[in-house]
Amino acid sequence: SSAMYPKVFEEYMDFTLRYSQLVEKLPTRAFLTPLEEDEEVEVELAKGVSAVIKYKAVGELQPNGKREVFFEANGIPRLVEVVDRAAEQAIGTKAVRDKADLTVMGSVGAPMAGTIIEVAVKPGTVVSAGQQLCIMSAMKMETAISAPVGGTVTQVAVEPNDVLDAGDLVVYIDVTAAGAASSSDPTTSFESDSEGEDIDPKAALAAAASN
């Protein structure tokens, strides 16, 4: 459960949000090793409902670090784009961008595909909820990306003229910095009375409120 194994639960939820729960329907060998050309597997999606998937071919590595994968689902030709995890070694650059973590409020992703035209923050910048982080251009319109929570910017993953896909990481905000400041005990400012003797800070607050 999430109470006993919070880290494991977070990783499971992140995987489920990214790939859905249907991954567990794949046969073990097809999950662990790539299919050969024209090899097919049968996947039982639900009781009495199955799909026959046949792998056909894979396209060339694109500049964005993705490849087109051609396959058939129940005899119907299909095509999807997938990220090639070995693209960085093949190209020698950061071709594959990090994705925003959907389970973390401070992980801010691009709301749509577009081009970054302005970045308003840098690592170390303290932001509040709703503050503008950057501006991107999409479909000939400018869209402001704002902070969903307050905190300190620890990572800026973009710069002007970067081309992003929806969900690409833009900024990471550490919300614990803001939380630490807001959760500090205000009674700590009461250290001593006028004669230098220690006093009870909570009693001092109560006395001040009664006046």
Side-chain angles (χ1 to χ4, degrees):
S1 69
S2 60
M4 296 181 62
Y5 305 101
K7 184 62 177 176
V8 175
F9 182 77
E10 288 177 7
E11 292 176 352
Y12 166 74
M13 290 303 300
D14 180 53
F15 184 90
T16 300
L17 287 170
R18 289 176 184 270
Y19 305 110
S20 84
Q21 293 181 324
L22 293 179
V23 174
E24 66 186 26
K25 304 293 185 180
L26 288 173
T28 302
R29 196 186 73 79
F31 177 79
L32 296 176
T33 61
L35 297 178
E36 300 292 337
E37 187 172 321
D38 286 329
E39 183 180 357
E40 65 181 31
V41 294
E42 184 174 359
V43 181
E44 186 177 3
L45 303 177
K47 187 174 182 179
V49 180
S50 62
V52 177
I53 300 174
K54 177 186 286 189
Y55 168 67
K56 300 300 293 183
V58 61
E60 296 292 329
L61 182 64
Q62 302 175 24
N64 62 359
K66 295 182 179 181
R67 294 180 186 269
E68 292 181 331
V69 177
F70 303 86
F71 65 99
E72 293 180 358
N74 291 333
I76 301 175
R78 303 281 187 177
L79 181 151
V80 294
E81 275 193 340
V82 298
V83 175
D84 188 336
R85 298 300 178 184
E88 290 185 32
Q89 291 78 9
I91 299 178
T93 60
K94 183 69 173 179
V96 181
R97 288 189 172 276
D98 293 332
K99 290 292 183 179
D101 189 340
L102 301 177
T103 64
V104 179
M105 286 292 293
S107 183
V108 185
M112 64 188 74
T115 303
I116 297 295
I117 59 177
E118 181 182 336
V119 179
V121 295
K122 60 183 179 180
T125 301
V126 178
V127 298
S128 56
Q131 182 173 333
Q132 181 175 293
L133 303 174
C134 62
I135 299 176
M136 70 183 304
S137 175
M139 297 181 291
K140 299 183 180 180
M141 296 177 60
E142 292 186 359
T143 301
I145 301 177
S146 302
V149 292
T152 302
V153 175
T154 58
Q155 180 184 359
V156 178
V158 298
E159 57 186 29
N161 300 319
D162 279 358
V163 179
L164 308 182
D165 288 331
D168 285 350
L169 179 65
V170 176
V171 170
Y172 191 91
I173 301 171
D174 182 4
V175 299
T176 59
S182 62
S183 62
S184 59
D185 189 350
T187 62
T188 57
S189 60
F190 295 89
E191 295 179 355
S192 62
D193 63 9
S194 59
E195 298 181 357
E197 297 179 357
D198 292 338
I199 62 174
D200 185 349
K202 289 183 171 54
L205 282 179
S210 64
N211 294 332

